[in-house]
Amino acid sequence: MIDTTILLKAYRLMCTAAAMAETYEENRSICKYVHSTSRGHEAIQLATAFQLLPCDYVSPYYRDESILLGLGFSPYELMLQLLAKGSDIFTGGREYYSHPNYRGDDKPGIIHQSSATGMQAIPTTGIAQGIKFLETINSPLLKKGKKSDDPIANCQLPIVVCSLGDASVTEGEVSEAFQFAALHQLPVIFLVQDNGWGISVTSGEARTTNANEMVKGFKGIKRISIDGSDFLQSYDVMKNVVDEVRLERHPFLVHARVPLLGHHTSGVRKEFYRTEDDLAKHYEDDPGPKLRKKLLESGITEEALLNIEEEAAADVAHHFQGAVAAPEPDPATVGDHVFVPTPVTVETGVREPGNKEKIMMVDAGLFAIREIMEDHPESLLYGQDVGRRLGGVFREAATLAEQFGDHRVFNTAIQEAYIIGSTVGMSAVGAKPIVEVQFADYIYPGLNQLVTEISKSCYLSCGKFPVQTLIRVPTGAYGGGGPYHSGCIESTLLTIKGIKVVYPSCAADMKGLLKAAFLDPNPVVMLEHKGLYWSKVPGTEEAKNVEPSRDYIIPLGKGRVVQEADEDFVDSGESCCIITYGMGVYWAKAAARDYAGQIEIIDLRTLFPLDEELVFATVKKHGKCLILTEEQQNNSFAEALAGRVSKACFRYLDAPVEVLGALDLPAVAMNIVLEQAMLPNGVKVSARIEQLLNA
């Protein structure tokens, strides 16, 4: 039997949720931002919330306001987000209603998540992955909880709840999350609330089966289907499931059948597409009247229930008045929290220690990762083929699994979305993931997570959930890699606000930048030109450097003068500068040999943040500038940079800023002759320099 106190608490909150929905509907002109309510879903949501401890994590979806009420958030706190007020505790007026995020010792953690249906499955499964990792290494970062004052019961391990709408389980990324959770037996509960609708699409139109049947194909996930409108059944099932997952540490899917009593959203209203018969059938399963009947049968008086209903309505009215009166956000704060500060602000360590041999760029990366993993036990590396057998297709992770174990260096399935998106959850619990995408051309399945979840997390959580992740991506063309192993993606990445993009061109920079990228508490994508890994491309021997000291770190956003021009040529106006990065550094060096003393070369090293100070000062010094890239030129980062340079340095320019990139073709051809015809090289750069100097 469930304690009557719990039943009364649930009923009071159901009345609260109903009163909130009615208030929003009656004040549509005030509640002008799009929102959804939990009407019809209250029973399963409250039953779930009542089981969770502060050490746990939960990812509600946009219809889960009753979960938030059940966790102890007040209607006022939720309404501040509904009205996008400045004192909204979750996002400061930046995010939709019921899009919470929370860090605190009194309630379960809630990472930020987007409105993109199903996208929360991967980051939330990443939390469970991080928890299991912290358990494995017995990390002090692992939060534990207590259920009572009994010291024996005070070592409760955390569990994770991922809440999903029924329509979202058709998303491929949900399947990726199921696959990883099942394979690695993670302590995550997938709560699927099935109301039979996906906006105006019925379940019969959209899918062959429900989540309970679908998950049969993922061996290792236990499952159960219940009446989610029945609070007593929901409470018993969720208590048993949470207790089992907390103890046995395996995934579980709970499929809860619920009615949909409200609108899909305030903007997509039920009367647009639902019939009276359909609505009447759903109202037969309204959780509130069902629980009310049970309470009356258990001896609670009609008067007592009426008092609860009246108090809930009055309470909601009071909270709504307060939320309406709350101030709007300060416009001056709109640019806050894009990133959190990084601890690496100056170059430290020794770049060229004495009595050391030169190393290749691929080894510089390997050695940097090894030192990071030695110094940071919470760090780990995963991706396709990086594990023990191969150590990466470029051997960039060779021997790491042998040294640090398969729990810290391991292979994943072919799941770029999971590889990238899981780092949101890993970072939230304190793990420090380094992940690899095998080739730049294969990053596109992961862009949804990178754009929708990772890049926005810090900004929309007001700095509570920056994502500390380092994503390594081999890039660039050489030696007949062909259309799907040779692409450059920096322009694509640089359109994403909220991430940093690094591009080393030599071994010393590889080590120093990689360490800075790891230590940065924000998401960093590190592009590594595979043609420079071993210096096999003619003219790239100088990509090998003496290995820097263990403590060598280069702050992100600092370019480097690779080659200076002679002052005499500068003074006479016979010099120019080349702004470039990656393989462009070596094309520039090759071309500069034809113009001894006349060419200054800047290696950007970091594409965002960009060292504008160095770039602009160099262009002003010479008055002539060539921006060199391996990317296809039209609409590229290089062309955008040329526009910024032209504006900032207009008074100092002796000629238009030139840009040279690859030919504007859809892909890099396999044939080496065709590949070379597409790409820049020293000869092409030299010809463009001659035009520039003679302009």
Side-chain angles (χ1 to χ4, degrees):
M1 292 294 293
I2 303 172
D3 192 308
T4 304
T5 304
I6 294 173
L7 298 181
L8 288 171
K9 178 182 178 182
Y11 187 66
R12 183 180 296 275
L13 291 175
M14 285 186 188
C15 292
T16 300
M20 291 165 69
E22 291 169 7
T23 300
Y24 303 161
E25 189 68 9
E26 291 166 359
N27 294 274
R28 288 175 62 186
S29 61
I30 297 173
C31 305
K32 58 188 177 182
Y33 300 109
V34 173
H35 58 271
S36 296
T37 71
S38 59
R39 286 295 286 118
H41 294 228
E42 299 97 329
I44 184 61
Q45 291 183 18
L46 292 170
T48 301
F50 289 175
Q51 314 307 322
L52 300 181
L53 303 176
C55 65
D56 296 330
Y57 289 83
V58 59
S59 286
Y61 86 112
Y62 56 79
R63 201 178 298 285
D64 279 351
E65 69 183 354
S66 286
I67 282 185
L68 300 176
L69 291 171
L71 293 176
F73 293 101
S74 69
Y76 176 71
E77 289 171 317
L78 303 189
M79 291 169 180
L80 289 174
Q81 187 172 54
L82 171 86
L83 302 174
K85 296 293 188 171
S87 48
D88 160 28
I89 66 167
F90 302 126
T91 70
R94 300 176 179 190
E95 187 56 287
Y96 297 100
Y97 182 56
S98 195
H99 283 62
N101 60 85
Y102 188 76
R103 277 192 189 274
D105 296 328
D106 61 328
K107 296 180 181 70
I110 306 174
I111 61 171
H112 175 266
Q113 66 183 55
S114 72
S115 287
T117 52
M119 296 306 98
Q120 72 271 32
I122 285 177
T124 307
T125 304
I127 298 175
Q129 180 188 350
I131 287 171
K132 181 172 181 179
F133 172 65
L134 296 180
E135 286 180 58
T136 302
I137 65 172
N138 196 27
S139 171
L141 295 172
L142 181 67
K143 295 195 303 181
K144 296 183 180 181
K146 61 180 182 178
K147 297 178 90 173
S148 70
D149 293 330
D150 181 356
I152 297 176
N154 288 351
C155 292
Q156 301 293 320
L157 289 171
I159 60 101
V160 181
V161 174
C162 178
S163 179
L164 298 156
D166 54 296
S168 71
V169 297
T170 56
E171 285 279 5
E173 293 187 17
V174 176
S175 294
E176 290 194 22
F178 287 170
Q179 174 75 24
F180 200 94
L183 183 65
H184 294 274
Q185 289 295 283
L186 302 181
V188 58
I189 299 166
F190 298 102
L191 171 61
V192 179
Q193 300 171 59
D194 187 351
N195 60 37
W197 286 95
I199 308 184
S200 67
V201 180
T202 65
S203 57
E205 291 176 86
R207 42 199 182 279
T208 60
T209 187
N210 62 39
N212 182 56
E213 295 298 318
M214 172 189 171
V215 84
K216 282 183 182 178
F218 297 91
K219 295 180 180 180
I221 299 181
K222 293 189 70 172
R223 62 192 175 89
I224 189 171
S225 185
I226 65 170
D227 179 358
S229 69
D230 183 329
F231 178 78
L232 280 75
Q233 182 185 151
S234 298
Y235 186 91
D236 282 337
V237 167
M238 291 310 301
K239 182 181 186 306
N240 292 335
V241 169
V242 168
D243 286 348
E244 180 176 329
V245 174
R246 200 180 297 284
L247 180 65
E248 298 181 13
R249 319 305 285 161
H250 62 70
F252 214 118
L253 184 139
V254 177
H255 171 253
R257 301 179 303 278
V258 292
L260 178 60
L261 306 183
H263 307 291
H264 168 68
T265 66
S266 56
V268 182
R269 304 179 64 76
K270 57 189 177 184
E271 59 264 25
F272 293 173
Y273 58 92
R274 296 182 68 182
T275 66
E276 290 185 7
D277 288 344
D278 172 65
L279 287 167
K281 184 177 179 181
H282 277 246
Y283 268 100
E284 290 174 4
D285 283 323
D286 188 338
K290 279 188 173 183
L291 182 54
R292 195 180 200 279
K293 182 180 178 183
K294 294 284 187 183
L295 287 167
L296 289 170
E297 291 171 353
S298 69
I300 303 299
T301 66
E302 176 75 16
E303 182 183 9
L305 295 179
L306 287 172
N307 284 339
I308 288 175
E309 293 159 12
E310 291 170 2
E311 289 171 2
D315 194 42
V316 166
H318 172 72
H319 283 291
F320 188 68
Q321 276 187 328
V324 171
E328 300 292 327
D330 180 353
T333 65
V334 69
D336 295 349
H337 306 299
V338 177
F339 296 111
V340 291
T342 175
V344 180
T345 57
V346 295
E347 186 170 345
T348 59
V350 182
R351 184 178 176 91
E352 297 184 31
N355 302 318
K356 279 197 171 186
E357 294 184 358
K358 290 184 177 181
I359 61 171
M360 295 182 293
M361 201 167 112
V362 69
D363 288 334
L366 172 64
F367 299 161
I369 298 288
R370 178 181 297 154
E371 291 172 358
I372 285 169
M373 297 190 77
E374 288 171 347
D375 295 341
H376 299 273
E378 69 278 18
S379 63
L380 68 168
L381 170 68
Y382 56 96
Q384 296 169 34
D385 295 301
V386 303
R388 185 182 299 269
R389 294 186 193 88
L390 187 60
V393 293
F394 299 104
R395 305 294 289 152
E396 73 280 7
T399 73
L400 291 179
E402 283 85 349
Q403 181 174 351
F404 298 106
D406 295 331
H407 64 294
R408 292 186 68 190
V409 182
F410 57 89
N411 296 324
T412 66
I414 302 172
Q415 293 183 327
E416 287 83 6
Y418 189 88
I419 291 167
I420 290 173
S422 61
T423 65
V424 177
M426 297 286 282
S427 175
V429 300
K432 298 187 185 301
I434 305 168
V435 298
E436 291 195 11
V437 174
Q438 206 163 70
F439 291 91
D441 308 77
Y442 299 158
I443 200 171
Y444 296 102
L447 281 187
N448 198 4
Q449 289 292 324
L450 188 61
V451 174
T452 308
E453 307 297 339
I454 290 178
S455 71
K456 295 175 173 60
S457 183
C458 185
Y459 182 69
L460 293 178
S461 69
C462 292
K464 292 191 291 295
F465 285 99
V467 181
Q468 181 171 7
T469 180
L470 170 55
I471 303 168
R472 297 182 66 188
V473 186
T475 188
Y478 89 101
Y484 306 109
H485 299 80
S486 306
C488 294
I489 59 169
E490 53 264 35
S491 289
T492 298
L493 294 175
L494 290 165
T495 63
I496 305 169
K497 312 310 173 190
I499 66 171
K500 300 183 180 182
V501 181
V502 179
Y503 203 138
S505 67
C506 65
D509 288 348
M510 179 79 163
K511 186 172 184 182
L513 290 169
L514 195 152
K515 289 204 169 184
F518 172 80
L519 293 171
D520 198 305
N522 303 287
V524 181
V525 179
M526 189 157 184
L527 300 174
E528 305 170 9
H529 200 296
K530 57 186 186 291
L532 298 177
Y533 269 154
W534 300 285
S535 291
K536 288 184 177 179
V537 176
T540 62
E541 184 68 20
E542 291 180 5
K544 297 178 183 177
N545 301 133
V546 171
E547 182 186 0
S549 63
R550 187 185 188 95
D551 60 346
Y552 182 62
I553 302 176
I554 303 169
L556 305 188
K558 296 294 182 183
R560 185 169 79 95
V561 179
V562 172
Q563 177 175 305
E564 292 188 78
D566 291 345
E567 287 298 325
D568 290 345
F569 286 114
V570 175
D571 293 342
S572 64
E574 299 176 272
S575 67
C576 75
C577 62
I578 301 176
I579 312 298
T580 189
Y581 55 94
M583 188 64 78
V585 171
Y586 300 95
W587 293 328
K589 284 185 173 183
R593 296 189 189 103
D594 297 334
Y595 307 93
Q598 293 180 268
I599 311 301
E600 188 148 328
I601 302 171
I602 300 297
D603 182 357
L604 294 175
R605 302 198 294 193
T606 303
L607 307 187
F608 189 87
L610 185 70
D611 193 346
E612 288 188 344
E613 182 179 356
L614 175 61
V615 170
F616 295 162
T618 305
V619 173
K620 290 175 182 179
K621 174 180 173 183
H622 296 279
K624 300 184 181 72
C625 173
L626 170 64
I627 298 176
L628 175 61
T629 179
E630 183 174 331
E631 281 196 297
Q632 291 92 329
Q633 182 172 327
N634 279 6
N635 304 315
S636 64
F637 157 68
E639 285 198 334
L641 179 56
R644 288 156 68 186
V645 168
S646 296
K647 182 176 181 180
C649 306
F650 181 76
R651 291 176 51 228
Y652 300 87
L653 291 174
D654 298 325
V657 176
E658 291 283 339
V659 178
L660 177 61
L663 300 181
D664 295 307
L665 304 174
V668 180
M670 175 75 76
N671 182 276
I672 293 176
V673 174
L674 296 177
E675 176 190 270
Q676 291 174 347
M678 177 187 183
L679 298 177
N681 57 34
V683 174
K684 294 177 184 178
V685 175
S686 180
R688 189 63 64 87
I689 290 174
E690 183 176 8
Q691 294 174 9
L692 189 59
L693 289 174
N694 294 330

